[in-house]
Amino acid sequence: PSHGRIPLERESVFTVLGALTTSVLDTARYLDVAAGHHPIDRMSLPRPDQSYEKLAESLDVSGLRVGWSDDFGYGVMEHEIVEIAYTAAEALISTARLERRKLELALETIRPLWRRLVGGRTWSNLCQEGYLPDRIGELSNVPQQSLLAGAKLTIGEVYEIERRLSKLRRDFAASFEDIDVIVSPTVATEAFAAAGPAPETIDGRDASNTGPAPLGFIANTCWNPAISVPAGFTKSGMPVGLMITVPQHRDDIALRLARLLELARPWPLTAPLQC
């Protein structure tokens, strides 16, 4: 959801609370129940005066301008993932009667810097609560690296990261001057083992600075609503997502478009049985 749509117990400029659901209407209902201002979160938004569940079924989105991006200008993506997501995007554009527009995103690759900044803040919080540094060994490799890198940040480095994040927000906001909706793959590669490690080479190219999920953090940074919906399966049977990103506070558009795709291309609501 939009940043502030769901109030937080502890304020954060990057964190939003959402829910994994099996259907778009379940997601909309979650927002209807949980959305609204809370006095302990100064950034929380007023309670919407309309039902997201109803809007997901009725909002008129025809004619909205849509742009496709493979990689936001920096992601290292698997060709198969892009191809499957693009096919789903074409179905959505046709079903929702959207107006296709050319989109050339060329955002800066700052995911490693973002992770260091988030890691530094999390390190400080967990140290104050007594979990770190003594229990750092209980974490897996990726969060360990992020926390340890964040712990070494200097004031000057924090300032530089914030400056570059500010530029990223301006650049991304500018893309919505001529576009109402951005559609893209959700992640860069098919699912890997939960135990890790995350792949650093994708499609034969170095992805150490972008990782397997290079695009999602943009919504956290820029406060845009974004929703991932099933787009299809890879040849090996792994699911692929299509990400729909919309302007700030237009959660209703994201939900309606996701719902239209769900109606046009229903996805299974249960995992396949394994022998």
Side-chain angles (χ1 to χ4, degrees), residues 51-63:
S51 164
Y52 284 119
E53 189 171 2
K54 291 180 180 178
L55 289 170
E57 293 279 52
S58 62
L59 184 69
D60 182 10
V61 293
S62 60

Side-chain angles (χ1 to χ4, degrees), residues 64-68 86 89-90 93-94 98-102 179:
L64 290 183
R65 302 162 299 174
V66 60
W68 163 266
Y86 183 78
E90 290 282 288
I93 292 169
S94 175
L98 304 177
E99 180 184 329
R100 192 190 310 270
R101 290 288 182 91
K102 186 176 182 180
I179 293 287

Side-chain angles (χ1 to χ4, degrees), residues 142-176:
V142 172
Q144 264 198 47
Q145 290 179 350
S146 179
L147 288 169
L148 291 172
K152 299 175 183 177
L153 279 176
T154 66
I155 295 297
E157 288 172 327
V158 169
Y159 175 82
E160 175 60 17
I161 293 173
E162 292 282 12
R163 186 189 66 80
R164 293 168 71 176
L165 286 173
S166 180
K167 181 180 183 304
L168 173 67
R169 288 190 287 269
R170 291 194 302 272
D171 291 344
F172 196 60
S175 68
F176 284 101

Side-chain angles (χ1 to χ4, degrees), residues 24 27 186 225-229 242-246 254-255 257-259:
V24 176
T27 299
T186 300
I227 187 168
S228 175
V229 289
L242 174 72
M243 187 164 69
I244 303 167
T245 306
V246 297
L255 290 165
L257 292 175
R259 176 61 173 157

Side-chain angles (χ1 to χ4, degrees), residues 30 48 56 88 94 130 137 214 218 222:
Y30 164 73
S94 175
I218 295 293
C222 301

Side-chain angles (χ1 to χ4, degrees), residues 42-115:
R42 298 169 298 166
M43 291 184 280
S44 59
L45 300 172
R47 184 171 182 81
D49 57 5
Q50 298 186 72
S51 164
Y52 284 119
E53 189 171 2
K54 291 180 180 178
L55 289 170
E57 293 279 52
S58 62
L59 184 69
D60 182 10
V61 293
S62 60
L64 290 183
R65 302 162 299 174
V66 60
W68 163 266
S69 179
D70 289 359
D71 54 11
F72 285 10
Y74 62 83
V76 179
M77 316 291 288
E78 274 185 7
H79 177 73
E80 184 184 18
I81 299 296
V82 172
E83 191 175 66
I84 293 169
Y86 183 78
T87 300
E90 290 282 288
L92 173 61
I93 292 169
S94 175
T95 297
R97 294 178 294 171
L98 304 177
E99 180 184 329
R100 192 190 310 270
R101 290 288 182 91
K102 186 176 182 180
L103 176 65
E104 295 182 357
L105 278 178
L107 303 178
E108 184 184 6
T109 307
I110 60 169
R111 179 177 171 271
L113 301 178
W114 181 79
R115 287 183 60 197

Side-chain angles (χ1 to χ4, degrees), residues 198-237:
E200 294 194 347
T201 300
I202 295 175
D203 201 35
R205 294 174 289 162
D206 179 21
S208 57
N209 283 333
T210 56
L215 310 184
F217 90 98
I218 295 293
N220 295 78
T221 300
C222 301
W223 293 12
N224 294 76
I227 187 168
S228 175
V229 289
F233 296 89
T234 63
K235 292 177 182 177
S236 59

